Amino acid sequence: RLESAAGAARAAGVSAPDAATIEAGAFALGTGIREQDVARLVRASQPPHAPGSSLRVAGALAALGVPSGETVDLVVQVIEAGQPVADVLSLPARVQAGIGSGLSPGEAAGQARRRGRGRHGPPGHGGPPKEKPGHKKPPHAPGRPGGVT
């Protein structure tokens, strides 16, 4: 896998890939990401995004069960949207949180993608939580803490 990862990085235009890129590429390949997708991730990872970090994130997402094509699209979209490195690095945790709340890995990745659009500030801070349809807060009774009557 190391040789395949190095070849994918070279195919992406990196004449002498560093050890971190090769090792992360081998990890990503081991999780089911294809060589051409490893090359795509390396090409997309322009400073400040390091190819090794992007590949590790993609491998972690695939290991969580996100389909490999969707994984690659998600990581590339976050990078190309100009999101900070921290947003890319937080993707596995955000997807894992979605899985923990009952979403499938693909649904959790979609949620992470939607939350990353048009958002400013650190991951997960896209504004106050929204009410679920049909779930209104009970009215607050005046003079009683917490609406207890």
Side-chain angles (χ1 to χ4, degrees), residues 30-133:
T31 63
I33 294 176
R34 301 173 308 166
E35 281 186 49
Q36 58 264 36
D37 288 330
V38 169
R40 182 176 170 213
L41 286 161
V42 170
R43 272 191 300 278
S45 299
Q46 299 300 313
H49 298 277
S53 297
S54 301
L55 290 164
R56 277 190 299 280
V57 166
L61 292 170
L64 287 170
V66 179
S68 65
E70 193 173 339
T71 291
V72 174
D73 288 344
L74 174 59
V75 175
V76 168
Q77 286 172 4
V78 172
I79 291 169
E80 289 179 348
Q83 297 295 322
V85 172
D87 280 12
V88 175
L89 297 176
S90 71
L91 286 171
R94 289 166 38 203
V95 168
Q96 191 167 21
I99 293 168
S101 69
L103 298 175
S104 72
E107 291 168 337
Q111 182 181 64
R113 177 182 291 114
R114 286 187 299 279
R115 284 189 178 165
R117 290 186 184 149
R119 180 183 49 71
H120 300 288
H125 292 76
K130 296 183 175 41
E131 277 187 27
K132 294 180 181 177

